[in-house]
Coordinates of all heavy atoms in Angstrom, one line a residue:
M29 N 0.9 -1.1 0.0 CA 0.0 0.0 0.0 C 0.9 1.2 0.0 O 1.8 1.3 0.8 CB -0.9 -0.1 1.2 CG -1.7 1.2 1.4 SD -2.9 1.1 2.8 CE -4.1 0.2 2.2
S30 N 0.6 2.1 -0.8 CA 1.4 3.4 -0.9 C 1.0 4.3 0.1 O 0.0 4.3 0.6 CB 1.3 4.0 -2.3 OG 0.1 4.6 -2.5
M31 N 1.9 5.2 0.5 CA 1.4 6.2 1.5 C 0.3 7.2 1.0 O -0.5 7.6 1.8 CB 2.7 7.0 1.9 CG 3.6 6.2 2.8 SD 4.9 7.2 3.4 CE 6.3 6.4 2.8
N32 N 0.3 7.5 -0.3 CA -0.8 8.3 -0.8 C -2.1 7.6 -0.6 O -3.1 8.1 0.0 CB -0.6 8.6 -2.2 CG 0.4 9.7 -2.4 OD1 0.9 10.4 -1.5 ND2 0.9 9.7 -3.6
S33 N -2.2 6.2 -0.9 CA -3.6 5.6 -0.6 C -3.8 5.4 0.8 O -4.9 5.2 1.1 CB -3.4 4.2 -1.4 OG -2.5 3.4 -0.9
L34 N -2.8 5.3 1.6 CA -3.0 5.2 3.0 C -3.7 6.5 3.7 O -4.5 6.4 4.5 CB -1.7 5.0 3.7 CG -1.7 4.8 5.3 CD1 -2.4 3.5 5.5 CD2 -0.2 4.7 5.7
L35 N -3.4 7.6 3.1 CA -3.9 8.9 3.5 C -5.0 9.5 2.8 O -5.7 10.4 3.3 CB -2.7 9.9 3.6 CG -1.5 9.5 4.4 CD1 -0.4 10.6 4.3 CD2 -1.8 9.2 5.8
D36 N -5.4 8.9 1.6 CA -6.4 9.5 0.8 C -7.8 9.6 1.4 O -8.5 10.5 1.0 CB -6.5 8.7 -0.6 CG -5.3 9.0 -1.5 OD1 -4.7 10.1 -1.3 OD2 -5.2 8.2 -2.6
H37 N -8.1 8.6 2.2 CA -9.4 8.7 2.7 C -9.7 9.5 3.9 O -10.8 9.4 4.6 CB -9.8 7.1 3.0 CG -9.0 6.6 4.1 ND1 -7.7 6.1 3.8 CD2 -9.1 6.3 5.4 CE1 -7.2 5.6 4.9 NE2 -8.0 5.8 6.0
L38 N -8.7 10.2 4.3 CA -8.8 11.1 5.6 C -9.2 12.5 5.3 O -8.8 13.0 4.3 CB -7.4 11.1 6.3 CG -6.9 9.7 6.7 CD1 -5.5 10.0 7.3 CD2 -7.8 9.0 7.7
N39 N -10.0 13.0 6.1 CA -10.3 14.5 6.1 C -9.1 15.3 6.7 O -8.2 14.7 7.3 CB -11.6 14.9 6.7 CG -11.7 14.6 8.2 OD1 -10.7 14.7 8.9 ND2 -12.9 14.2 8.6
A40 N -9.2 16.6 6.6 CA -8.1 17.4 7.1 C -7.7 17.2 8.5 O -6.6 17.0 8.9 CB -8.4 18.9 6.8
P41 N -8.6 17.2 9.5 CA -8.3 17.0 10.9 C -7.7 15.6 11.2 O -6.8 15.5 12.0 CB -9.6 17.1 11.7 CG -10.5 18.0 10.8 CD -10.1 17.6 9.4
Q42 N -8.2 14.6 10.5 CA -7.8 13.2 10.6 C -6.3 13.1 10.1 O -5.5 12.6 10.7 CB -8.7 12.3 9.8 CG -10.1 12.0 10.6 CD -10.9 11.2 9.6 OE1 -10.8 11.2 8.4 NE2 -11.9 10.5 10.3
L43 N -6.1 13.8 9.0 CA -4.7 13.7 8.4 C -3.7 14.4 9.3 O -2.7 13.9 9.5 CB -4.8 14.5 7.0 CG -3.4 14.5 6.3 CD1 -2.9 13.2 6.0 CD2 -3.6 15.5 5.1
A44 N -4.2 15.5 9.8 CA -3.2 16.2 10.9 C -2.9 15.2 12.0 O -1.8 15.2 12.4 CB -3.9 17.4 11.4
A45 N -3.9 14.5 12.6 CA -3.7 13.6 13.7 C -2.8 12.5 13.2 O -1.9 12.1 14.0 CB -5.1 13.1 14.2
V46 N -3.0 11.9 12.1 CA -2.2 10.7 11.7 C -0.8 11.1 11.4 O 0.1 10.3 11.8 CB -2.9 10.1 10.3 CG1 -1.9 9.2 9.6 CG2 -4.2 9.5 10.6
T47 N -0.5 12.2 10.9 CA 0.9 12.6 10.5 C 1.6 13.4 11.6 O 2.6 14.0 11.3 CB 1.0 13.4 9.1 OG1 0.0 14.6 9.3 CG2 0.4 12.5 8.1
L48 N 1.1 13.4 12.8 CA 1.8 14.0 14.0 C 3.2 13.4 14.0 O 3.3 12.2 13.6 CB 1.0 13.8 15.3 CG -0.2 14.7 15.5 CD1 -1.0 14.2 16.6 CD2 0.1 16.1 15.7
P49 N 4.2 14.2 14.6 CA 5.4 13.4 14.9 C 5.3 12.2 15.8 O 4.4 12.1 16.6 CB 6.2 14.6 15.7 CG 5.6 15.8 15.3 CD 4.1 15.5 15.1
P50 N 6.3 11.3 15.6 CA 6.1 10.1 16.5 C 6.3 10.3 17.9 O 7.5 10.4 18.5 CB 7.4 9.1 15.9 CG 8.3 10.2 15.4 CD 7.6 11.4 14.9
A51 N 5.3 10.4 18.7 CA 5.3 10.7 20.1 C 3.9 10.1 20.6 O 3.0 9.6 19.8 CB 5.4 12.1 20.4
H52 N 3.6 10.3 21.8 CA 2.4 9.8 22.4 C 1.3 10.7 21.8 O 1.5 11.9 21.6 CB 2.3 10.1 23.9 CG 3.4 9.4 24.6 ND1 3.5 8.0 24.6 CD2 4.5 9.8 25.2 CE1 4.6 7.7 25.4 NE2 5.3 8.8 25.7
A53 N 0.1 10.1 21.4 CA -1.0 10.8 20.9 C -2.3 10.5 21.6 O -2.5 9.2 21.8 CB -1.1 10.6 19.4
L54 N -3.1 11.5 22.0 CA -4.3 11.1 22.6 C -5.5 11.7 21.5 O -5.3 12.9 21.2 CB -4.5 11.8 23.8 CG -5.9 11.8 24.5 CD1 -6.2 10.4 24.9 CD2 -5.8 12.7 25.9
I55 N -6.2 10.8 21.1 CA -7.2 11.2 20.0 C -8.6 11.3 20.8 O -9.1 10.3 21.1 CB -7.3 10.3 18.9 CG1 -5.9 10.1 18.3 CG2 -8.2 10.7 17.8 CD1 -5.2 11.4 17.7
L56 N -9.2 12.5 20.9 CA -10.5 12.6 21.5 C -11.4 13.3 20.5 O -11.1 14.3 19.9 CB -10.4 13.5 22.8 CG -9.6 13.0 23.9 CD1 -9.4 14.1 25.0 CD2 -10.1 11.8 24.5
A57 N -12.6 12.7 20.3 CA -13.5 13.1 19.3 C -14.8 12.5 19.6 O -14.9 11.5 20.2 CB -13.1 13.0 17.8
G58 N -15.9 13.1 18.9 CA -17.3 12.6 19.1 C -17.5 11.3 18.4 O -16.7 10.8 17.6
A59 N -18.6 10.6 18.7 CA -19.0 9.4 18.1 C -19.2 9.6 16.6 O -19.6 10.7 16.0 CB -20.4 9.0 18.7
G60 N -18.7 8.5 15.8 CA -18.8 8.6 14.5 C -17.8 9.5 13.7 O -17.9 9.7 12.5
S61 N -16.8 10.0 14.5 CA -15.9 11.0 13.8 C -14.7 10.3 13.2 O -13.9 11.1 12.5 CB -15.5 12.0 14.8 OG -14.8 11.4 15.9
G62 N -14.4 9.0 13.4 CA -13.4 8.4 12.7 C -12.2 8.1 13.6 O -11.0 8.1 13.2
K63 N -12.3 8.1 14.9 CA -11.2 7.9 15.9 C -10.5 6.5 15.5 O -9.3 6.5 15.6 CB -11.7 8.0 17.3 CG -12.2 9.3 17.7 CD -12.7 9.1 19.2 CE -13.9 8.2 19.4 NZ -15.1 8.6 18.7
T64 N -11.2 5.5 15.4 CA -10.5 4.2 15.1 C -9.9 4.3 13.8 O -8.7 3.7 13.7 CB -11.6 3.0 15.1 OG1 -12.3 3.0 16.4 CG2 -11.0 1.7 14.9
R65 N -10.4 4.9 12.8 CA -9.7 5.0 11.5 C -8.4 5.7 11.7 O -7.3 5.4 11.2 CB -10.6 5.8 10.5 CG -9.9 6.0 9.2 CD -10.7 6.8 8.2 NE -11.9 5.8 7.7 CZ -12.6 6.0 6.8 NH1 -12.6 7.2 6.3 NH2 -13.6 5.2 6.4
V66 N -8.6 6.9 12.4 CA -7.3 7.6 12.7 C -6.1 6.8 13.4 O -5.0 6.8 13.1 CB -7.5 9.0 13.6 CG1 -6.3 9.6 14.0 CG2 -8.3 9.9 12.7
L67 N -6.7 6.0 14.5 CA -5.7 5.2 15.3 C -5.0 4.2 14.4 O -3.8 4.1 14.3 CB -6.5 4.6 16.4 CG -5.6 3.8 17.4 CD1 -4.6 4.6 18.1 CD2 -6.5 3.0 18.3
T68 N -5.8 3.5 13.7 CA -5.1 2.3 12.9 C -4.4 2.9 11.7 O -3.3 2.4 11.4 CB -6.3 1.4 12.3 OG1 -7.3 2.2 11.6 CG2 -7.0 0.7 13.5
T69 N -4.9 4.1 11.1 CA -4.1 4.7 10.0 C -2.7 5.2 10.6 O -1.7 5.2 9.9 CB -4.8 5.7 9.3 OG1 -6.1 5.1 8.8 CG2 -4.1 6.3 8.1
R70 N -2.8 5.8 11.7 CA -1.6 6.4 12.4 C -0.5 5.3 12.7 O 0.6 5.4 12.4 CB -1.9 7.1 13.6 CG -0.7 7.6 14.4 CD -1.0 8.6 15.5 NE 0.1 9.0 16.3 CZ 1.1 9.9 15.9 NH1 1.1 10.4 14.6 NH2 2.1 10.2 16.6
I71 N -1.0 4.1 13.1 CA -0.1 3.0 13.3 C 0.5 2.6 12.0 O 1.7 2.5 11.9 CB -0.8 1.9 14.0 CG1 -1.2 2.3 15.4 CG2 0.1 0.6 14.0 CD1 -2.2 1.3 16.2
A72 N -0.3 2.4 11.0 CA 0.3 2.0 9.7 C 1.2 3.1 9.2 O 2.3 2.8 8.6 CB -0.9 1.8 8.7
W73 N 0.9 4.3 9.3 CA 1.7 5.5 8.9 C 3.2 5.4 9.6 O 4.1 5.5 9.0 CB 1.0 6.8 9.1 CG 1.8 8.0 9.0 CD1 2.4 8.8 10.0 CD2 2.3 8.6 7.7 NE1 3.1 9.7 9.4 CE2 3.1 9.7 8.1 CE3 2.0 8.4 6.4 CZ2 3.7 10.6 7.1 CZ3 2.5 9.2 5.5 CH2 3.4 10.3 5.9
L74 N 3.0 5.4 10.9 CA 4.3 5.3 11.6 C 5.2 4.1 11.3 O 6.4 4.2 11.1 CB 4.1 5.3 13.1 CG 3.4 6.5 13.7 CD1 3.0 6.3 15.2 CD2 4.4 7.7 13.7
L75 N 4.6 3.0 11.1 CA 5.3 1.8 10.7 C 5.8 1.8 9.3 O 6.9 1.6 8.9 CB 4.4 0.5 10.8 CG 4.1 0.0 12.3 CD1 3.1 -1.0 12.2 CD2 5.3 -0.3 13.0
S76 N 5.0 2.3 8.4 CA 5.4 2.4 7.0 C 6.4 3.4 6.6 O 7.2 3.2 5.7 CB 4.1 2.5 6.0 OG 3.6 3.8 6.2
T77 N 6.5 4.5 7.5 CA 7.4 5.5 7.2 C 8.8 5.2 8.0 O 9.7 6.0 8.1 CB 6.9 6.9 7.6 OG1 6.5 6.8 9.0 CG2 5.8 7.3 6.7
G78 N 8.8 4.1 8.8 CA 10.0 3.8 9.6 C 10.1 4.6 10.8 O 11.2 4.7 11.4
Q79 N 9.2 5.4 11.2 CA 9.3 6.2 12.4 C 9.3 5.5 13.7 O 9.9 6.0 14.7 CB 8.1 7.3 12.4 CG 8.3 8.2 11.2 CD 7.3 9.4 11.3 OE1 7.1 10.1 12.2 NE2 6.4 9.4 10.2
V80 N 8.7 4.4 13.8 CA 8.7 3.4 14.8 C 8.7 2.0 14.3 O 8.3 1.7 13.2 CB 7.6 3.6 15.8 CG1 7.5 5.0 16.4 CG2 6.2 3.3 15.1
G81 N 9.2 1.1 15.2 CA 9.1 -0.4 14.8 C 7.8 -0.9 15.5 O 7.2 -0.3 16.5
P82 N 7.5 -2.1 15.2 CA 6.4 -2.8 15.9 C 6.4 -2.8 17.4 O 5.4 -2.6 18.0 CB 6.3 -4.2 15.3 CG 7.1 -4.1 14.0 CD 8.1 -3.0 14.3
Q83 N 7.6 -2.9 17.9 CA 7.8 -3.0 19.4 C 7.5 -1.7 20.0 O 7.3 -1.6 21.2 CB 9.1 -3.6 19.7 CG 10.3 -2.6 19.4 CD 10.7 -2.5 18.0 OE1 10.3 -3.2 17.1 NE2 11.7 -1.6 17.7
G84 N 7.5 -0.5 19.2 CA 7.3 0.8 19.8 C 5.8 1.2 19.7 O 5.5 2.4 19.8
V85 N 4.9 0.3 19.4 CA 3.4 0.7 19.4 C 2.6 0.0 20.4 O 2.7 -1.1 20.6 CB 2.9 0.2 17.9 CG1 1.5 0.6 17.8 CG2 3.7 0.9 16.8
L86 N 1.8 0.9 21.1 CA 0.8 0.4 21.9 C -0.5 1.2 21.7 O -0.4 2.4 21.8 CB 1.2 0.6 23.5 CG 0.1 0.3 24.4 CD1 -0.3 -1.2 24.5 CD2 0.5 0.8 25.8
A87 N -1.6 0.5 21.3 CA -2.8 1.3 21.0 C -3.8 0.7 22.0 O -4.0 -0.5 22.1 CB -3.2 1.0 19.6
V88 N -4.6 1.7 22.5 CA -5.6 1.2 23.4 C -7.0 2.0 22.9 O -6.9 3.2 22.8 CB -5.3 1.7 24.9 CG1 -6.5 1.4 25.8 CG2 -4.1 1.0 25.3
T89 N -8.0 1.3 22.8 CA -9.3 1.9 22.5 C -10.4 1.3 23.4 O -10.2 0.2 23.8 CB -9.6 1.8 21.0 OG1 -10.8 2.5 20.8 CG2 -9.7 0.4 20.5
F90 N -11.5 2.0 23.6 CA -12.5 1.4 24.4 C -13.8 2.0 24.0 O -13.9 3.0 23.4 CB -12.2 1.6 26.0 CG -12.2 3.1 26.4 CD1 -13.4 3.6 26.8 CD2 -11.1 3.8 26.3 CE1 -13.4 4.9 27.2 CE2 -11.1 5.1 26.8 CZ -12.3 5.7 27.2
T91 N -14.8 1.4 24.5 CA -16.2 2.0 24.3 C -16.9 1.8 25.6 O -16.6 0.9 26.4 CB -16.9 1.2 23.1 OG1 -18.2 1.9 23.1 CG2 -17.2 -0.3 23.5
N92 N -18.0 2.6 25.9 CA -18.8 2.5 27.1 C -20.0 1.5 26.9 O -20.9 1.5 27.8 CB -19.2 3.8 27.5 CG -20.1 4.6 26.6 OD1 -20.4 4.1 25.5 ND2 -20.5 5.7 27.0
K93 N -20.1 0.9 25.8 CA -21.2 0.0 25.5 C -21.0 -1.4 26.2 O -19.9 -1.9 26.5 CB -21.2 -0.4 24.0 CG -21.7 0.7 23.2 CD -21.9 0.5 21.8 CE -22.4 1.6 21.1 NZ -22.6 1.4 19.6

């Protein structure tokens, strides 16, 4: 998957969150806003650009359901 196709489906705020520098990131947004898409795309982005290795990723998500 090319980086362009990885980022093509994101809106501007999502793109900004995905391409943040490699550091801790807290994504807070309303229901249906694409938080899970941002999280999974950010992980793919960081790995595909070599900014982090698989051992450097911890993702946590939850729902109140």
Side-chain angles (χ1 to χ4, degrees):
M29 174 178 278
S30 74
M31 283 187 244
N32 284 341
S33 64
L34 186 64
L35 304 178
D36 283 346
H37 63 281
L38 302 173
N39 62 33
Q42 290 171 334
L43 179 63
V46 166
T47 57
L48 287 169
H52 305 287
L54 175 64
I55 307 300
L56 297 173
S61 60
K63 293 178 297 296
T64 301
R65 175 181 289 189
V66 167
L67 181 65
T68 56
T69 305
R70 178 164 172 75
I71 292 168
W73 168 258
L74 291 170
L75 293 171
S76 68
T77 59
Q79 296 181 55
V80 298
Q83 71 283 358
V85 176
L86 171 66
V88 179
T89 185
F90 65 92
T91 181
N92 61 359
K93 291 184 180 182

